[in-house]
Amino acid sequence: MAAAVSSDRSSRAITDPLLGQEEEDGYYENCPGCRVDRMKRQQTKTNYLHLSYIWTVSLCTALPIQSLFPFIYFMIKDFHIAEKEEDIGYYAGFVGSSFMIGRALTSFLWGRVADRYGRKPVILIGTLSVVIFSSLFGLSTSFWMAISMRFLLGCFNSLLGIIRAYATEVCKDEHKALALSIVSTSRGVGMIIGPAIGGFFAQPADKYPSLFPQNSIFRRFPYFLPCLIISIYSLGVFIACWWIPETLHIHGKKLNERCDSRNITREDSAEESTVKGDVEEASNIREPRKANLLQNWPLMSTIIVYCVFSLQEIAYSEIFALWAVSDKSYGGLSFSSQDVGEVLTISGLGLLMFQLLLYPPMERKLGPLMVTRLSAAVSIPLLACFPFIAMLSGLVLHLVVNLASILRNTLSVSLVTGLFILQNDAVAQSERAAANGISLTAMSVFKAFGPAGGGALFSWAQKRQVAAFLPGDQMVFFVLNLVQGIGLILTFKPFLAQPNLPSVASN
């Protein structure tokens, strides 16, 4: 009798359509993650449609962050909250950091939601939040309304962490580096397009009076148009994301619900227990008990290294803009805002080509950790040369600045992309969104302090032009290199622990 029951259980584990199983390899017909896995096995070429989804969603989260900076100074000035003009930057800093604070408070929560209910719902909520709160921010009539809308946008927009997890799941293993490089590159492109949108379309009634009459809504709300453009783009992304495939594996809950719906009589109660036992066993195999992610040292060590490099990256972005427009008498380049925009545009195009064409084969040959170490190491002598670039002039100056900027941004994004790969390899698929949520939370906290710290460092350095040790901007780039060197040291053992890739992949 026992043998017969065992045989019946074995047969049902493979063929029972009620359980949604078709194969012995653990495929479940009604599991969206299993369908994506099967689709990946059947693919012979790169799925550019899925890569385009990753690109558009990543750009959606980058634009609201970067578009703010060209007009925030004038926006705060129009609010008449600053008693003196020197105080405008103080209030502008609160508006800029409110987004990061909101994102830091909720990123882990959204990661858990994505691990429980799926990546797609969180992506849809995130893109819709950009549509709503970006528009409301453009319609702000007071400082507190502006800071509230940015904070709420940060609270509901955790797209960066989720899309990184999604990118590793929707693509085949050999395309993982390409997918994550697209996430990084779209963020870099957002750093170019975002400021362009904010700079060209803020105060349109003053800049383009023939197109925007004085009695139009854009005269009353001079900063609404750039926010509206981003909202329209995000609305298109929201609509397109209805067709993205879900990648989360959902087995146990669905199977139990279907088993409970069976019409089983009391005489079949023993068989019912057997079937449910099979379901629970299958669920336990596919969805093991989740460990505390904070005790996962390969994950946490990678996140700590990522935060150190993120702090250095955003501090560099703040300092480069200030250094480029400062006068040559203070060690700057005396560039105009248009000159800075041209440098950022050219470096963005170079970054795009590198990430799409060169980074994936480099990662396959060297591995993500070696790419990270090499990028960090090469960045140090490069940054040390920046103060001496100011001694050049004319065409030579522009050529050298553009080349240095392209190389610096390429190394920075390559470094971060390698850490993305290590981070996602450190956890099972069922915990990947939560892990990215922790990473995004920590990174947002560091990035909330980066611009303020970079600006304060630059202002202090401007006052010590005749110092005996590292005068002027030499001290600025020395401190940046110091942080970069700390990050590089942390990429080695015993601090950074590499994940056990085979065991993780099996999950």
Side-chain angles (χ1 to χ4, degrees):
M1 179 66 179
V5 172
S6 176
S7 174
D8 181 62
R9 288 177 65 182
S10 249
S11 174
R12 182 164 40 241
I14 299 175
T15 61
D16 192 344
L18 178 65
L19 300 182
Q21 294 171 304
E22 289 186 356
E23 307 174 30
E24 291 183 351
D25 64 355
Y27 176 81
Y28 295 85
E29 178 63 32
N30 296 301
C31 171
C34 287
R35 288 197 292 268
V36 170
D37 286 346
R38 169 172 281 188
M39 175 196 68
K40 290 191 293 185
R41 288 195 297 267
Q42 294 173 348
Q43 286 178 356
T44 58
K45 298 180 179 180
T46 305
N47 193 321
Y48 290 102
L49 178 61
H50 291 161
L51 293 179
S52 67
Y53 283 134
I54 295 170
W55 168 274
T56 55
V57 174
S58 300
L59 186 60
C60 184
T61 192
L63 290 179
I65 301 174
Q66 303 299 331
S67 63
L68 172 70
F69 299 110
F71 64 81
I72 184 59
Y73 179 93
F74 304 100
M75 191 180 204
I76 297 297
K77 187 176 182 179
D78 290 347
F79 289 153
H80 303 292
I81 191 173
E83 295 181 0
K84 297 184 296 184
E85 188 170 346
E86 299 91 281
D87 296 332
I88 291 178
Y90 172 77
Y91 290 99
F94 280 108
V95 177
S97 63
S98 61
F99 175 90
M100 292 296 178
I101 294 173
R103 194 167 72 174
L105 293 175
T106 60
S107 292
F108 180 73
L109 172 63
W110 285 116
R112 282 300 188 192
V113 171
D115 281 339
R116 182 174 179 85
Y117 299 104
R119 284 56 166 130
K120 184 175 178 178
V122 178
I123 291 175
L124 290 172
I125 292 172
T127 52
L128 183 61
S129 71
V130 178
V131 176
I132 297 172
F133 295 114
S134 180
S135 298
L136 291 176
F137 175 73
L139 296 172
S140 296
T141 56
S142 68
F143 171 75
W144 292 110
M145 180 179 178
I147 202 171
S148 298
M149 293 304 103
R150 292 290 294 183
F151 176 77
L152 290 173
L153 177 59
C155 287
F156 285 90
N157 189 337
S158 62
L159 291 174
L160 180 58
I162 305 303
I163 201 63
R164 289 203 310 243
Y166 185 84
T168 63
E169 296 165 357
V170 77
C171 297
K172 301 178 72 173
D173 288 344
E174 55 264 36
H175 300 146
K176 184 190 302 183
L178 175 60
L180 287 175
S181 69
I182 283 178
V183 175
S184 301
T185 305
S186 63
R187 186 167 60 97
V189 172
M191 294 174 65
I192 301 168
I193 300 178
I197 294 175
F200 282 106
F201 296 104
Q203 301 172 314
D206 295 334
K207 296 177 179 177
Y208 317 107
S210 60
L211 297 176
F212 302 95
Q214 296 299 310
N215 59 352
S216 68
I217 187 175
F218 300 108
R219 177 63 180 179
R220 182 181 178 187
F221 302 100
Y223 311 103
F224 178 54
L225 182 57
C227 299
L228 178 64
I229 292 173
I230 294 174
S231 294
I232 292 173
Y233 169 78
S234 301
L235 179 61
V237 176
F238 172 77
I239 295 173
C241 285
W242 279 101
W243 286 274
I244 67 173
E246 177 59 66
T247 60
L248 182 66
H249 286 276
I250 304 174
H251 298 154
K253 180 179 177 181
K254 295 297 182 182
L255 289 173
N256 278 313
E257 289 176 353
R258 299 181 72 189
C259 285
D260 290 341
S261 67
R262 296 183 66 180
N263 183 19
I264 302 176
T265 62
R266 293 182 181 222
E267 290 79 8
D268 293 332
S269 60
E271 181 180 354
E272 178 186 12
S273 300
T274 301
V275 173
K276 289 188 176 180
D278 290 341
V279 173
E280 291 174 0
E281 183 180 355
S283 176
N284 289 334
I285 293 174
R286 296 290 297 185
E287 299 179 15
R289 183 177 177 271
K290 294 181 179 179
N292 187 348
L293 291 177
L294 298 179
Q295 297 177 353
N296 183 337
W297 184 242
L299 170 66
M300 297 309 299
S301 61
T302 304
I303 289 177
I304 293 172
V305 175
Y306 172 53
C307 287
V308 172
F309 285 126
S310 294
L311 174 64
Q312 198 267 2
E313 178 191 21
I314 196 166
Y316 165 80
S317 299
E318 176 83 6
I319 288 171
F320 178 82
L322 296 173
W323 173 67
V325 299
S326 63
D327 192 83
K328 273 187 169 293
S329 61
Y330 289 96
L333 305 181
S334 297
F335 274 13
S336 66
S337 59
Q338 182 178 352
D339 293 330
V340 176
E342 290 175 357
V343 172
L344 295 177
T345 301
I346 294 172
S347 64
L349 293 175
L351 171 65
L352 177 64
M353 298 303 295
F354 174 84
Q355 287 293 111
L356 293 179
L357 301 178
L358 299 180
Y359 180 83
M362 182 185 301
E363 188 274 335
R364 285 195 296 268
K365 186 175 182 62
L366 300 177
L369 181 56
M370 184 56 67
V371 171
T372 296
R373 289 171 177 168
L374 287 175
S375 299
V378 175
S379 293
I380 293 176
L382 176 65
L383 279 177
C385 296
F386 269 59
F388 304 101
I389 294 178
M391 299 178 180
L392 304 175
S393 61
L395 179 61
V396 176
L397 171 63
H398 284 264
L399 289 176
V400 172
V401 167
N402 278 286
L403 290 175
S405 180
I406 291 173
L407 184 56
R408 159 63 197 178
N409 290 335
T410 298
L411 292 171
S412 177
V413 173
S414 299
L415 185 155
V416 171
T417 304
L419 292 174
F420 287 170
I421 296 175
L422 292 175
Q423 176 184 301
N424 282 305
D425 286 341
V427 293
Q429 195 248 15
S430 60
E431 299 175 319
R432 199 163 285 153
N436 278 280
I438 296 174
S439 173
L440 190 60
T441 298
M443 180 267 287
S444 298
V445 172
F446 274 69
K447 283 198 169 185
F449 290 100
L457 173 64
F458 184 82
S459 298
W460 173 67
Q462 294 290 290
K463 301 173 184 178
R464 51 187 313 276
Q465 295 293 326
V466 294
F469 178 71
L470 298 175
D473 296 331
Q474 293 184 34
M475 175 60 74
V476 174
F477 291 100
F478 171 78
V479 175
L480 288 177
N481 269 336
L482 186 62
V483 178
Q484 187 86 348
I486 293 173
L488 175 60
I489 293 172
L490 294 180
T491 62
F492 291 90
K493 294 180 179 181
F495 186 83
L496 184 65
Q498 293 193 62
N500 187 349
L501 297 180
S503 64
V504 172
S506 64
N507 290 329

